[in-house]
Amino acid sequence: MMPSKAEDEEAPNTLSTPEPELVESEPTLVERAKAMVRELNRKYPRTGLPADKAFIDSLYED
């Protein structure tokens, strides 16, 4: 016996909807990426000398 059209339309909606407690408890991928970047910036602060014209020109010399 084939399922009715109404059952076909309802099934994907119920399967694709995550449970509310899981959504609230887990950080999103964006939040996790931001936290990782903040941690890396704390661990490895930006240092170095500014690149002046002489340095940039030296990169293109043969």
Side-chain angles (χ1 to χ4, degrees), residues 11-57:
N13 292 338
T14 58
L15 294 176
S16 64
T17 309
E19 296 180 20
E21 62 270 2
L22 292 178
V23 172
E24 293 174 7
S25 65
E26 294 181 12
T28 65
L29 186 58
V30 172
E31 291 168 344
R32 290 174 42 199
K34 285 181 178 180
M36 183 185 76
V37 169
R38 276 190 232 105
E39 182 180 329
L40 288 173
N41 284 337
R42 275 192 298 262
K43 189 173 181 180
Y44 303 105
R46 293 182 182 213
T47 59
L49 301 173
D52 59 352
K53 184 174 178 358
F55 173 74
I56 294 171
D57 289 343

